Amino acid sequence: MALRVYNTLTKEKAEFTPVEKGKVGMYVCGPTVYKPSHIGHMVGPVIFDAVKRYLTYLGYQVTFVVNITDVDDKLIVRAKELGTTVKELAEKMTADYCDCLKRLNVAGIDLMPRATEHIGEMIEMMRGLIDNGHAYPSGGDVYFDVSKDADYGKLCHRDPEQMEAGARVEISDRKRNPGDFALWKGAKPGEPSWDSPWGPGRPGWHIECSAMSMKYLGKTFDIHGGGLDLQFPHHENELAQSESYTNQIFARYWMHNGLLKMGNAKMAGSVGNVVNVADLLKKYHPETVRFLLLSTHYRSPIEYSDDRLAEVRRSLDGFYRFFERYQRVNGASFHQIEAPVRQGEVPADGDFLKEIGGLRKRFLECMDDDFNTGGAVGVLYEMLNKLNRFADDKKVEDASAKPQAKAEFTEGVRIFKEMSQILGLFQEPAVAAKGGDDQLVGGLMQLLIDLRAEARKAKNFALGDQIRKRLTEQGVTLEDRPGGTGWRL
RNA sequence: GGCCCCUUAGCCAAGCGGUAAGGCAGCGGAUUGCAAAUCCGCCAUCCCCGGUUCAAAUCCGGGAGGGGCCUCCA
């Protein structure tokens, strides 16, 4: 089966074929760095990180670019409020953004170009657009002339005339048409500015993405992604100016992710209901957040709430307990397993591995179908169930377990790991139980477990249960397993 | 006012014409001294009304409810 991708431009799924065989260029719109990142900012990066992982798994060499908008009205206003410079604010907030990405295991971004470092490219592009009649300077500004672009509106499937009807576009006597948008804004006193043939100023919002994406990925590249709310005007304008400039197709596949919802409204700075990533991560492990974002298909809105996060946290427990189980069987951590990337069928002997192989196939089919991570996550749960069942049936934790059974079990776990890596999940121990590494706590726990064991041996269950009950009150759960008693927080 | 999209069990969520994945919660059972963990089983006919089809959650038309965009927004 081949990878199929939904394209906003055509409104349908089509088989994915890159411009250049074996390579993929992917550009995703990043944040305007004027405030700390909220969770909504993480949706795109996490999803496209998974997209890159999967494309890489399929053998493509992927270049993943996320831009940083480091000059803009909001930055100027915010910097003034804080009594700092735009540059300093941008640097600080970019660091925050990068830190959030790192914690959510978004590891695939190759380049993060800054708008302010590409003024030259933008000027060159504007010059070209003015020369070919698609843009015009006006009173120190430069505008894109929408009326000169025959297929303007094709991304959003809108007729420009209809849009203008009830539109509340910025009125300016410098524009020829109300729908025209600024490529360059003439400097006002006190604002950061750069020299240009049209006088000092700064770039408009859309031009940076055209200039930078084409610089790093070429005039025609494969995937352009971003939030659904960026479709218009940002992406429509980006597309219009780029294709007017090069006379070539800009991005071949436009992918738009659904927005995060708080209750029944989207989460956004403009709505004022944002949840800071840094704050959130104080309460929930990053993997819980990543898992939540990948549990839904990327084009659907994602329900966000504290209850939901708590539920995800609970549902993740099954995986984490299984990893502990694996460690009991093999003595090594699940996280150290090397799971090679294998194309095609995995050779399988025996019903168990055939079953796991079948699930692996289903997982891959989900990903092939427009990166259906939600379906893929479901398959992961099914694998977990099969793995546990096999472990129960064959008693792989017992010393008497057959080496053959243990080997099959281990191979099954490797396949599970191979799949989970594609989603960027379970890469590191997520619940290194608080205090679990602490020698003193470990020693004290062993003491209590030993005392309880003695009480139980003497059939003093009342005392044994009291020890367990009081530990439960402290948030410690005991598990009596064949090989002895374990505990976790 | 215009343009899009969504509606699947108590909650979250796959599904893209062939008779409803998965998770959380709940219930019953195995296991356990009792638990925990794990396993087994149970738990929906897909917002409503029509239509197309041998066959529809899936296609078409209408209705109801919710959301997004048209303005900065991931």
PDB file of all heavy atoms in Angstrom, chain B residues 56-67:
ATOM      1  P     A B  56     -28.083  -0.437   3.249  1.00  0.00           P
ATOM      2  OP1   A B  56     -28.700  -0.365   4.605  1.00  0.00           O
ATOM      3  OP2   A B  56     -28.756   0.188   2.114  1.00  0.00           O
ATOM      4  O5'   A B  56     -26.576   0.090   3.312  1.00  0.00           O
ATOM      5  C5'   A B  56     -25.683  -0.242   4.384  1.00  0.00           C
ATOM      6  C4'   A B  56     -25.056   1.018   4.915  1.00  0.00           C
ATOM      7  O4'   A B  56     -24.431   1.666   3.791  1.00  0.00           O
ATOM      8  C3'   A B  56     -26.127   1.982   5.437  1.00  0.00           C
ATOM      9  O3'   A B  56     -26.395   1.863   6.830  1.00  0.00           O
ATOM     10  C2'   A B  56     -25.645   3.371   4.977  1.00  0.00           C
ATOM     11  O2'   A B  56     -24.950   4.056   5.983  1.00  0.00           O
ATOM     12  C1'   A B  56     -24.693   3.057   3.824  1.00  0.00           C
ATOM     13  N9    A B  56     -25.140   3.492   2.500  1.00  0.00           N
ATOM     14  C8    A B  56     -26.385   3.538   1.970  1.00  0.00           C
ATOM     15  N7    A B  56     -26.431   3.969   0.738  1.00  0.00           N
ATOM     16  C5    A B  56     -25.108   4.225   0.433  1.00  0.00           C
ATOM     17  C6    A B  56     -24.449   4.693  -0.729  1.00  0.00           C
ATOM     18  N6    A B  56     -25.073   5.003  -1.853  1.00  0.00           N
ATOM     19  N1    A B  56     -23.108   4.820  -0.680  1.00  0.00           N
ATOM     20  C2    A B  56     -22.473   4.499   0.444  1.00  0.00           C
ATOM     21  N3    A B  56     -22.975   4.040   1.597  1.00  0.00           N
ATOM     22  C4    A B  56     -24.301   3.939   1.514  1.00  0.00           C
ATOM     23  P     A B  57     -25.260   1.692   7.980  1.00  0.00           P
ATOM     24  OP1   A B  57     -24.141   0.785   7.680  1.00  0.00           O
ATOM     25  OP2   A B  57     -26.206   1.338   9.019  1.00  0.00           O
ATOM     26  O5'   A B  57     -24.616   3.109   8.323  1.00  0.00           O
ATOM     27  C5'   A B  57     -25.176   3.947   9.317  1.00  0.00           C
ATOM     28  C4'   A B  57     -24.234   5.092   9.583  1.00  0.00           C
ATOM     29  O4'   A B  57     -23.102   4.603  10.355  1.00  0.00           O
ATOM     30  C3'   A B  57     -23.610   5.708   8.340  1.00  0.00           C
ATOM     31  O3'   A B  57     -24.441   6.712   7.822  1.00  0.00           O
ATOM     32  C2'   A B  57     -22.319   6.280   8.873  1.00  0.00           C
ATOM     33  O2'   A B  57     -22.510   7.511   9.517  1.00  0.00           O
ATOM     34  C1'   A B  57     -21.923   5.231   9.919  1.00  0.00           C
ATOM     35  N9    A B  57     -21.032   4.203   9.388  1.00  0.00           N
ATOM     36  C8    A B  57     -21.322   2.892   9.115  1.00  0.00           C
ATOM     37  N7    A B  57     -20.301   2.210   8.651  1.00  0.00           N
ATOM     38  C5    A B  57     -19.273   3.147   8.632  1.00  0.00           C
ATOM     39  C6    A B  57     -17.932   3.041   8.243  1.00  0.00           C
ATOM     40  N6    A B  57     -17.370   1.921   7.797  1.00  0.00           N
ATOM     41  N1    A B  57     -17.163   4.150   8.344  1.00  0.00           N
ATOM     42  C2    A B  57     -17.733   5.282   8.789  1.00  0.00           C
ATOM     43  N3    A B  57     -18.993   5.495   9.187  1.00  0.00           N
ATOM     44  C4    A B  57     -19.710   4.372   9.091  1.00  0.00           C
ATOM     45  P     U B  58     -24.185   7.260   6.331  1.00  0.00           P
ATOM     46  OP1   U B  58     -25.128   8.341   6.128  1.00  0.00           O
ATOM     47  OP2   U B  58     -24.122   6.116   5.370  1.00  0.00           O
ATOM     48  O5'   U B  58     -22.727   7.875   6.379  1.00  0.00           O
ATOM     49  C5'   U B  58     -22.073   8.332   5.226  1.00  0.00           C
ATOM     50  C4'   U B  58     -20.715   7.704   5.103  1.00  0.00           C
ATOM     51  O4'   U B  58     -20.734   6.410   5.723  1.00  0.00           O
ATOM     52  C3'   U B  58     -20.271   7.466   3.660  1.00  0.00           C
ATOM     53  O3'   U B  58     -19.336   8.484   3.326  1.00  0.00           O
ATOM     54  C2'   U B  58     -19.595   6.125   3.656  1.00  0.00           C
ATOM     55  O2'   U B  58     -18.217   6.237   3.397  1.00  0.00           O
ATOM     56  C1'   U B  58     -19.782   5.610   5.085  1.00  0.00           C
ATOM     57  N1    U B  58     -20.140   4.208   5.229  1.00  0.00           N
ATOM     58  C2    U B  58     -19.136   3.280   5.055  1.00  0.00           C
ATOM     59  O2    U B  58     -18.007   3.591   4.712  1.00  0.00           O
ATOM     60  N3    U B  58     -19.516   1.981   5.265  1.00  0.00           N
ATOM     61  C4    U B  58     -20.741   1.520   5.654  1.00  0.00           C
ATOM     62  O4    U B  58     -20.900   0.326   5.837  1.00  0.00           O
ATOM     63  C5    U B  58     -21.743   2.533   5.797  1.00  0.00           C
ATOM     64  C6    U B  58     -21.408   3.816   5.590  1.00  0.00           C
ATOM     65  P     C B  59     -19.872   9.903   2.792  1.00  0.00           P
ATOM     66  OP1   C B  59     -18.656  10.690   2.500  1.00  0.00           O
ATOM     67  OP2   C B  59     -20.902  10.437   3.706  1.00  0.00           O
ATOM     68  O5'   C B  59     -20.594   9.519   1.429  1.00  0.00           O
ATOM     69  C5'   C B  59     -19.859   9.449   0.219  1.00  0.00           C
ATOM     70  C4'   C B  59     -20.835   9.434  -0.935  1.00  0.00           C
ATOM     71  O4'   C B  59     -21.573   8.176  -0.909  1.00  0.00           O
ATOM     72  C3'   C B  59     -21.920  10.496  -0.851  1.00  0.00           C
ATOM     73  O3'   C B  59     -21.465  11.728  -1.383  1.00  0.00           O
ATOM     74  C2'   C B  59     -23.015   9.887  -1.708  1.00  0.00           C
ATOM     75  O2'   C B  59     -22.762  10.019  -3.078  1.00  0.00           O
ATOM     76  C1'   C B  59     -22.917   8.411  -1.310  1.00  0.00           C
ATOM     77  N1    C B  59     -23.804   8.034  -0.193  1.00  0.00           N
ATOM     78  C2    C B  59     -25.187   8.030  -0.420  1.00  0.00           C
ATOM     79  O2    C B  59     -25.621   8.347  -1.529  1.00  0.00           O
ATOM     80  N3    C B  59     -26.007   7.674   0.592  1.00  0.00           N
ATOM     81  C4    C B  59     -25.514   7.343   1.785  1.00  0.00           C
ATOM     82  N4    C B  59     -26.367   6.990   2.750  1.00  0.00           N
ATOM     83  C5    C B  59     -24.106   7.350   2.043  1.00  0.00           C
ATOM     84  C6    C B  59     -23.301   7.701   1.040  1.00  0.00           C
ATOM     85  P     C B  60     -22.067  13.093  -0.839  1.00  0.00           P
ATOM     86  OP1   C B  60     -21.249  14.185  -1.417  1.00  0.00           O
ATOM     87  OP2   C B  60     -22.230  12.983   0.627  1.00  0.00           O
ATOM     88  O5'   C B  60     -23.517  13.132  -1.490  1.00  0.00           O
ATOM     89  C5'   C B  60     -23.671  13.244  -2.894  1.00  0.00           C
ATOM     90  C4'   C B  60     -25.137  13.335  -3.231  1.00  0.00           C
ATOM     91  O4'   C B  60     -25.776  12.070  -2.910  1.00  0.00           O
ATOM     92  C3'   C B  60     -25.916  14.354  -2.408  1.00  0.00           C
ATOM     93  O3'   C B  60     -25.798  15.653  -2.943  1.00  0.00           O
ATOM     94  C2'   C B  60     -27.331  13.816  -2.519  1.00  0.00           C
ATOM     95  O2'   C B  60     -27.938  14.123  -3.744  1.00  0.00           O
ATOM     96  C1'   C B  60     -27.090  12.312  -2.430  1.00  0.00           C
ATOM     97  N1    C B  60     -27.188  11.792  -1.056  1.00  0.00           N
ATOM     98  C2    C B  60     -28.457  11.591  -0.504  1.00  0.00           C
ATOM     99  O2    C B  60     -29.456  11.879  -1.177  1.00  0.00           O
ATOM    100  N3    C B  60     -28.564  11.109   0.752  1.00  0.00           N
ATOM    101  C4    C B  60     -27.468  10.828   1.459  1.00  0.00           C
ATOM    102  N4    C B  60     -27.618  10.343   2.692  1.00  0.00           N
ATOM    103  C5    C B  60     -26.161  11.020   0.925  1.00  0.00           C
ATOM    104  C6    C B  60     -26.061  11.505  -0.322  1.00  0.00           C
ATOM    105  P     G B  61     -25.951  16.900  -1.969  1.00  0.00           P
ATOM    106  OP1   G B  61     -25.615  18.104  -2.772  1.00  0.00           O
ATOM    107  OP2   G B  61     -25.218  16.623  -0.713  1.00  0.00           O
ATOM    108  O5'   G B  61     -27.507  16.921  -1.641  1.00  0.00           O
ATOM    109  C5'   G B  61     -28.441  17.273  -2.654  1.00  0.00           C
ATOM    110  C4'   G B  61     -29.841  17.229  -2.089  1.00  0.00           C
ATOM    111  O4'   G B  61     -30.172  15.865  -1.727  1.00  0.00           O
ATOM    112  C3'   G B  61     -30.049  18.001  -0.791  1.00  0.00           C
ATOM    113  O3'   G B  61     -30.228  19.391  -1.008  1.00  0.00           O
ATOM    114  C2'   G B  61     -31.321  17.346  -0.265  1.00  0.00           C
ATOM    115  O2'   G B  61     -32.474  17.807  -0.932  1.00  0.00           O
ATOM    116  C1'   G B  61     -31.060  15.883  -0.616  1.00  0.00           C
ATOM    117  N9    G B  61     -30.431  15.170   0.498  1.00  0.00           N
ATOM    118  C8    G B  61     -29.106  14.844   0.651  1.00  0.00           C
ATOM    119  N7    G B  61     -28.862  14.226   1.783  1.00  0.00           N
ATOM    120  C5    G B  61     -30.092  14.149   2.405  1.00  0.00           C
ATOM    121  C6    G B  61     -30.457  13.581   3.656  1.00  0.00           C
ATOM    122  O6    G B  61     -29.731  13.021   4.489  1.00  0.00           O
ATOM    123  N1    G B  61     -31.813  13.723   3.913  1.00  0.00           N
ATOM    124  C2    G B  61     -32.712  14.322   3.058  1.00  0.00           C
ATOM    125  N2    G B  61     -33.981  14.365   3.469  1.00  0.00           N
ATOM    126  N3    G B  61     -32.392  14.847   1.891  1.00  0.00           N
ATOM    127  C4    G B  61     -31.077  14.723   1.629  1.00  0.00           C
ATOM    128  P     G B  62     -29.858  20.397   0.192  1.00  0.00           P
ATOM    129  OP1   G B  62     -29.999  21.757  -0.356  1.00  0.00           O
ATOM    130  OP2   G B  62     -28.567  19.979   0.791  1.00  0.00           O
ATOM    131  O5'   G B  62     -31.007  20.136   1.260  1.00  0.00           O
ATOM    132  C5'   G B  62     -32.348  20.543   0.977  1.00  0.00           C
ATOM    133  C4'   G B  62     -33.257  20.106   2.093  1.00  0.00           C
ATOM    134  O4'   G B  62     -33.209  18.655   2.214  1.00  0.00           O
ATOM    135  C3'   G B  62     -32.880  20.588   3.488  1.00  0.00           C
ATOM    136  O3'   G B  62     -33.258  21.917   3.747  1.00  0.00           O
ATOM    137  C2'   G B  62     -33.654  19.597   4.352  1.00  0.00           C
ATOM    138  O2'   G B  62     -35.027  19.900   4.412  1.00  0.00           O
ATOM    139  C1'   G B  62     -33.442  18.301   3.575  1.00  0.00           C
ATOM    140  N9    G B  62     -32.250  17.605   4.086  1.00  0.00           N
ATOM    141  C8    G B  62     -30.996  17.544   3.526  1.00  0.00           C
ATOM    142  N7    G B  62     -30.143  16.876   4.263  1.00  0.00           N
ATOM    143  C5    G B  62     -30.874  16.484   5.373  1.00  0.00           C
ATOM    144  C6    G B  62     -30.492  15.742   6.526  1.00  0.00           C
ATOM    145  O6    G B  62     -29.381  15.266   6.802  1.00  0.00           O
ATOM    146  N1    G B  62     -31.552  15.570   7.407  1.00  0.00           N
ATOM    147  C2    G B  62     -32.823  16.052   7.213  1.00  0.00           C
ATOM    148  N2    G B  62     -33.711  15.791   8.167  1.00  0.00           N
ATOM    149  N3    G B  62     -33.199  16.739   6.135  1.00  0.00           N
ATOM    150  C4    G B  62     -32.187  16.919   5.278  1.00  0.00           C
ATOM    151  P     G B  63     -32.468  22.758   4.868  1.00  0.00           P
ATOM    152  OP1   G B  63     -33.001  24.138   4.822  1.00  0.00           O
ATOM    153  OP2   G B  63     -31.017  22.524   4.674  1.00  0.00           O
ATOM    154  O5'   G B  63     -32.913  22.076   6.234  1.00  0.00           O
ATOM    155  C5'   G B  63     -34.286  22.143   6.642  1.00  0.00           C
ATOM    156  C4'   G B  63     -34.471  21.353   7.917  1.00  0.00           C
ATOM    157  O4'   G B  63     -34.086  19.970   7.694  1.00  0.00           O
ATOM    158  C3'   G B  63     -33.587  21.769   9.090  1.00  0.00           C
ATOM    159  O3'   G B  63     -34.100  22.899   9.772  1.00  0.00           O
ATOM    160  C2'   G B  63     -33.642  20.524   9.956  1.00  0.00           C
ATOM    161  O2'   G B  63     -34.860  20.408  10.664  1.00  0.00           O
ATOM    162  C1'   G B  63     -33.561  19.425   8.899  1.00  0.00           C
ATOM    163  N9    G B  63     -32.168  19.021   8.672  1.00  0.00           N
ATOM    164  C8    G B  63     -31.362  19.318   7.596  1.00  0.00           C
ATOM    165  N7    G B  63     -30.157  18.822   7.703  1.00  0.00           N
ATOM    166  C5    G B  63     -30.171  18.168   8.929  1.00  0.00           C
ATOM    167  C6    G B  63     -29.157  17.446   9.591  1.00  0.00           C
ATOM    168  O6    G B  63     -27.991  17.225   9.223  1.00  0.00           O
ATOM    169  N1    G B  63     -29.587  16.940  10.813  1.00  0.00           N
ATOM    170  C2    G B  63     -30.845  17.117  11.333  1.00  0.00           C
ATOM    171  N2    G B  63     -31.076  16.569  12.522  1.00  0.00           N
ATOM    172  N3    G B  63     -31.812  17.784  10.720  1.00  0.00           N
ATOM    173  C4    G B  63     -31.404  18.279   9.535  1.00  0.00           C
ATOM    174  P     A B  64     -33.049  23.835  10.590  1.00  0.00           P
ATOM    175  OP1   A B  64     -33.812  25.003  11.083  1.00  0.00           O
ATOM    176  OP2   A B  64     -31.841  24.033   9.754  1.00  0.00           O
ATOM    177  O5'   A B  64     -32.645  22.929  11.841  1.00  0.00           O
ATOM    178  C5'   A B  64     -33.618  22.621  12.850  1.00  0.00           C
ATOM    179  C4'   A B  64     -32.975  21.771  13.922  1.00  0.00           C
ATOM    180  O4'   A B  64     -32.534  20.514  13.338  1.00  0.00           O
ATOM    181  C3'   A B  64     -31.703  22.343  14.543  1.00  0.00           C
ATOM    182  O3'   A B  64     -31.979  23.288  15.557  1.00  0.00           O
ATOM    183  C2'   A B  64     -31.067  21.085  15.106  1.00  0.00           C
ATOM    184  O2'   A B  64     -31.688  20.650  16.296  1.00  0.00           O
ATOM    185  C1'   A B  64     -31.349  20.079  13.989  1.00  0.00           C
ATOM    186  N9    A B  64     -30.261  20.066  13.001  1.00  0.00           N
ATOM    187  C8    A B  64     -30.214  20.702  11.782  1.00  0.00           C
ATOM    188  N7    A B  64     -29.084  20.507  11.129  1.00  0.00           N
ATOM    189  C5    A B  64     -28.353  19.701  11.974  1.00  0.00           C
ATOM    190  C6    A B  64     -27.061  19.147  11.857  1.00  0.00           C
ATOM    191  N6    A B  64     -26.274  19.329  10.807  1.00  0.00           N
ATOM    192  N1    A B  64     -26.618  18.390  12.891  1.00  0.00           N
ATOM    193  C2    A B  64     -27.412  18.208  13.952  1.00  0.00           C
ATOM    194  N3    A B  64     -28.642  18.665  14.175  1.00  0.00           N
ATOM    195  C4    A B  64     -29.062  19.412  13.139  1.00  0.00           C
ATOM    196  P     G B  65     -30.910  24.455  15.841  1.00  0.00           P
ATOM    197  OP1   G B  65     -31.506  25.340  16.865  1.00  0.00           O
ATOM    198  OP2   G B  65     -30.482  25.015  14.536  1.00  0.00           O
ATOM    199  O5'   G B  65     -29.671  23.698  16.492  1.00  0.00           O
ATOM    200  C5'   G B  65     -29.773  23.169  17.825  1.00  0.00           C
ATOM    201  C4'   G B  65     -28.556  22.350  18.127  1.00  0.00           C
ATOM    202  O4'   G B  65     -28.416  21.299  17.134  1.00  0.00           O
ATOM    203  C3'   G B  65     -27.213  23.079  18.041  1.00  0.00           C
ATOM    204  O3'   G B  65     -26.922  23.855  19.179  1.00  0.00           O
ATOM    205  C2'   G B  65     -26.260  21.896  17.894  1.00  0.00           C
ATOM    206  O2'   G B  65     -26.064  21.210  19.109  1.00  0.00           O
ATOM    207  C1'   G B  65     -27.044  21.015  16.921  1.00  0.00           C
ATOM    208  N9    G B  65     -26.686  21.350  15.540  1.00  0.00           N
ATOM    209  C8    G B  65     -27.400  22.116  14.649  1.00  0.00           C
ATOM    210  N7    G B  65     -26.784  22.251  13.501  1.00  0.00           N
ATOM    211  C5    G B  65     -25.602  21.539  13.654  1.00  0.00           C
ATOM    212  C6    G B  65     -24.529  21.324  12.751  1.00  0.00           C
ATOM    213  O6    G B  65     -24.403  21.745  11.589  1.00  0.00           O
ATOM    214  N1    G B  65     -23.528  20.544  13.311  1.00  0.00           N
ATOM    215  C2    G B  65     -23.551  20.028  14.575  1.00  0.00           C
ATOM    216  N2    G B  65     -22.490  19.313  14.940  1.00  0.00           N
ATOM    217  N3    G B  65     -24.546  20.213  15.434  1.00  0.00           N
ATOM    218  C4    G B  65     -25.527  20.969  14.907  1.00  0.00           C
ATOM    219  P     G B  66     -26.009  25.147  19.009  1.00  0.00           P
ATOM    220  OP1   G B  66     -26.031  25.833  20.322  1.00  0.00           O
ATOM    221  OP2   G B  66     -26.421  25.873  17.785  1.00  0.00           O
ATOM    222  O5'   G B  66     -24.558  24.559  18.757  1.00  0.00           O
ATOM    223  C5'   G B  66     -23.875  23.886  19.812  1.00  0.00           C
ATOM    224  C4'   G B  66     -22.584  23.297  19.299  1.00  0.00           C
ATOM    225  O4'   G B  66     -22.857  22.384  18.198  1.00  0.00           O
ATOM    226  C3'   G B  66     -21.594  24.273  18.686  1.00  0.00           C
ATOM    227  O3'   G B  66     -20.853  25.005  19.644  1.00  0.00           O
ATOM    228  C2'   G B  66     -20.700  23.316  17.901  1.00  0.00           C
ATOM    229  O2'   G B  66     -19.821  22.590  18.730  1.00  0.00           O
ATOM    230  C1'   G B  66     -21.745  22.371  17.309  1.00  0.00           C
ATOM    231  N9    G B  66     -22.160  22.854  15.990  1.00  0.00           N
ATOM    232  C8    G B  66     -23.325  23.514  15.663  1.00  0.00           C
ATOM    233  N7    G B  66     -23.375  23.841  14.394  1.00  0.00           N
ATOM    234  C5    G B  66     -22.182  23.382  13.861  1.00  0.00           C
ATOM    235  C6    G B  66     -21.675  23.454  12.543  1.00  0.00           C
ATOM    236  O6    G B  66     -22.194  23.955  11.546  1.00  0.00           O
ATOM    237  N1    G B  66     -20.416  22.854  12.450  1.00  0.00           N
ATOM    238  C2    G B  66     -19.742  22.268  13.485  1.00  0.00           C
ATOM    239  N2    G B  66     -18.552  21.755  13.199  1.00  0.00           N
ATOM    240  N3    G B  66     -20.209  22.191  14.725  1.00  0.00           N
ATOM    241  C4    G B  66     -21.422  22.768  14.831  1.00  0.00           C
ATOM    242  P     G B  67     -20.337  26.472  19.253  1.00  0.00           P
ATOM    243  OP1   G B  67     -19.816  27.072  20.493  1.00  0.00           O
ATOM    244  OP2   G B  67     -21.370  27.178  18.463  1.00  0.00           O
ATOM    245  O5'   G B  67     -19.128  26.148  18.267  1.00  0.00           O
ATOM    246  C5'   G B  67     -17.987  25.449  18.754  1.00  0.00           C
ATOM    247  C4'   G B  67     -17.105  25.056  17.607  1.00  0.00           C
ATOM    248  O4'   G B  67     -17.852  24.306  16.615  1.00  0.00           O
ATOM    249  C3'   G B  67     -16.497  26.182  16.783  1.00  0.00           C
ATOM    250  O3'   G B  67     -15.392  26.780  17.433  1.00  0.00           O
ATOM    251  C2'   G B  67     -16.055  25.413  15.539  1.00  0.00           C
ATOM    252  O2'   G B  67     -14.894  24.659  15.773  1.00  0.00           O
ATOM    253  C1'   G B  67     -17.240  24.478  15.335  1.00  0.00           C
ATOM    254  N9    G B  67     -18.219  25.055  14.406  1.00  0.00           N
ATOM    255  C8    G B  67     -19.455  25.571  14.702  1.00  0.00           C
ATOM    256  N7    G B  67     -20.078  26.022  13.643  1.00  0.00           N
ATOM    257  C5    G B  67     -19.200  25.811  12.596  1.00  0.00           C
ATOM    258  C6    G B  67     -19.317  26.103  11.207  1.00  0.00           C
ATOM    259  O6    G B  67     -20.254  26.631  10.619  1.00  0.00           O
ATOM    260  N1    G B  67     -18.181  25.715  10.510  1.00  0.00           N
ATOM    261  C2    G B  67     -17.067  25.117  11.059  1.00  0.00           C
ATOM    262  N2    G B  67     -16.083  24.826  10.232  1.00  0.00           N
ATOM    263  N3    G B  67     -16.954  24.836  12.352  1.00  0.00           N
ATOM    264  C4    G B  67     -18.046  25.206  13.053  1.00  0.00           C
TER     265        G B  67
END
